[in-house]
Amino acid sequence: MAPIAHAEDGGGSIRIPASCNGLVGLKPTRGLVTNAIVEVEGLGTSGVLTRSVTDTAAALDVLARHDPAAWWSPPTPRTSFVAAMETDMPTGLRIGALIDSPIDGIHVHPACIAAVDVALRTLESTGQHLVDTLLPLPLTDELVAVFTTLWNVGGAGITLAEPDRVEPHNRALRDAARAIDSWAYAEGVRKTQQLSRRIVEGFLAGFDLLVTPTMACLPPLVGAWRAGTDGDPLRALLNSYPMGVFTSVFNVTGQPAISLPVHHDEATGLPVGVQIVAAPWREDLLLQVSRTLELAHPWTGRRPPVS
C-alpha cells in the first residue's frame, strides 16, 4: 500500500475516507492547491490521504505552489508547512464545537460525539479556551438546495464513451443538472457565495478553530449507500448524508479542514475521525494543532479487529 494517496474533496471525499480508514485527510483552503480547472464552482479541491500529520504537511509543501495559469492561485507560501507544523502551537485559541447535525433529522453516533470530546479536552489541557459560540449555519433546505444545484453539474464536460453503462445514480444527477436553466444555476452560485460569506464571517468572529465529528456515523458497510436506489437512484445521495453532513459545509466556505483518527468505537474497534476547521489560509495552525493531537493520541498502531 502507498504511504500517500491522492484524493479530491468536493463534499468530504478526502476527510470521509480518512475517518473510515483511520487516516489523516486535509482539505486545503479553496485555491491553495489548483487543478487544471476550477471544479464545481470551487467546492472541489485536491489533497492527499496519509498516515501521519508530518506526511500531510510534506505533501502540501509540494502541492501548494503558485500556479500562474490558474484562474486564481495565491503566492507559494514563504514558510514550509512542515516547518510551520513543528512550530509551537499558540495558547489562548478560541476553540468551538459543533456536534449537532447541520441537516435536521440526522442522528449523530455517540462515538462521533466522544471523538469531539477527546479533541476538546486535549486542546483545553494545552491552554486553549473552549467557547460555546454557535456557527451561523443556514436552514437545512437552504443549504441542501444551493449545494446540490452546484454538485449535480460535477459531470458536465466529461465525455462518456459508453453512456448506457453509467450507474443510475450518476445518470440521475446528470438529468437533474440538465433540468436547471442557466438563470437558476447562476442564482445558485450567487446564493452559495452569500452563504459562504455569512458562515465565514461568523466563524472569524467567534472561533480560531472549530471541532466537529468528521462523520455522523461509524464507517458504513461497503455498498450501504445503495440501499433503496433501485426505486429511486437519487436515494444514494440521501444515504450519504450521515457521512458528509459535517464535511460539506466547509466545501461551501472553502475553509481548510482536516480529519484526524483520534478515537475509535469501543464496541467495534472501528476508527472514528474528528474534524478540525480553521480560518481560510490557516493550514499552518491546523497542522500545529493536528500534530499536538497526534502526539497525545497516537493512531498509527491502532487496528480494528475486522478485515
Side-chain angles (χ1 to χ4, degrees):
M1 301 298 286
I4 295 178
H6 169 258
E8 289 194 341
D9 193 318
S13 296
I14 292 174
R15 292 157 289 163
I16 292 168
S19 183
C20 288
N21 293 283
L23 300 173
V24 178
L26 168 65
K27 181 195 79 67
T29 298
R30 179 166 29 239
L32 181 63
V33 175
T34 61
N35 288 352
I37 60 170
V38 177
E39 297 188 87
V40 203
E41 298 292 351
L43 296 183
T45 188
S46 286
V48 295
L49 292 165
T50 73
R51 293 186 177 90
S52 71
V53 177
T54 300
D55 283 351
T56 290
L60 198 58
D61 278 331
V62 174
L63 296 173
R65 301 297 180 94
H66 176 62
D67 180 357
W71 268 19
W72 62 75
S73 175
T76 300
R78 295 182 179 179
T79 303
S80 81
F81 289 105
V82 171
M85 178 202 68
E86 294 172 342
T87 303
D88 290 340
M89 181 176 62
T91 58
L93 296 171
R94 300 166 300 163
I95 311 292
L98 173 65
I99 58 173
D100 293 327
S101 169
I103 294 180
D104 294 338
I106 294 180
H107 170 73
V108 182
H109 193 281
C112 302
I113 296 174
V116 172
D117 188 65
V118 168
L120 291 176
R121 299 311 155 203
T122 303
L123 294 176
E124 186 178 35
S125 72
T126 66
Q128 314 309 335
H129 297 316
L130 305 187
V131 298
D132 56 6
T133 307
L134 298 178
L135 187 68
L137 293 172
L139 298 175
T140 292
D141 291 346
E142 187 180 16
L143 178 62
V144 171
V146 299
F147 185 86
T148 53
T149 296
L150 273 60
W151 179 259
N152 289 349
V153 303
I158 299 175
T159 302
L160 301 177
E162 298 180 81
D164 293 340
R165 297 186 63 187
V166 174
E167 290 190 351
H169 167 58
N170 290 325
R171 190 179 301 119
L173 290 179
R174 292 170 73 92
D175 291 344
R178 289 192 177 102
I180 299 175
D181 61 34
S182 59
W183 189 271
Y185 182 79
E187 285 184 330
V189 173
R190 185 182 184 91
K191 289 177 181 178
T192 302
Q193 293 181 12
Q194 291 170 337
L195 285 181
S196 173
R197 176 171 287 277
R198 192 168 81 210
I199 296 169
V200 174
E201 286 177 346
F203 184 101
L204 296 174
F207 316 108
D208 296 301
L209 296 166
L210 181 69
V211 183
T212 82
T214 302
M215 306 194 305
C217 59
L218 295 180
L221 295 174
V222 173
W225 62 272
R226 295 181 183 273
T229 57
D230 289 342
D232 178 11
L234 289 177
R235 182 72 198 178
L237 188 60
L238 297 176
N239 292 341
S240 299
Y241 279 4
M243 290 185 282
V245 66
F246 287 103
T247 55
S248 56
V249 173
F250 304 105
N251 292 89
V252 172
T253 66
Q255 292 170 256
I258 192 168
S259 179
L260 303 169
V262 300
H263 190 55
H264 66 279
D265 178 51
E266 293 291 344
T268 63
L270 291 171
V272 178
V274 66
Q275 178 177 233
I276 316 291
V277 185
W281 313 111
R282 289 310 311 268
E283 278 81 1
D284 58 337
L285 178 60
L286 207 54
L287 291 166
Q288 291 167 8
V289 171
S290 297
R291 179 60 176 155
T292 297
L293 290 170
E294 182 179 35
L295 292 173
H297 306 283
W299 53 69
T300 55
R302 192 185 303 152
R303 297 287 188 277
V306 295
S307 60

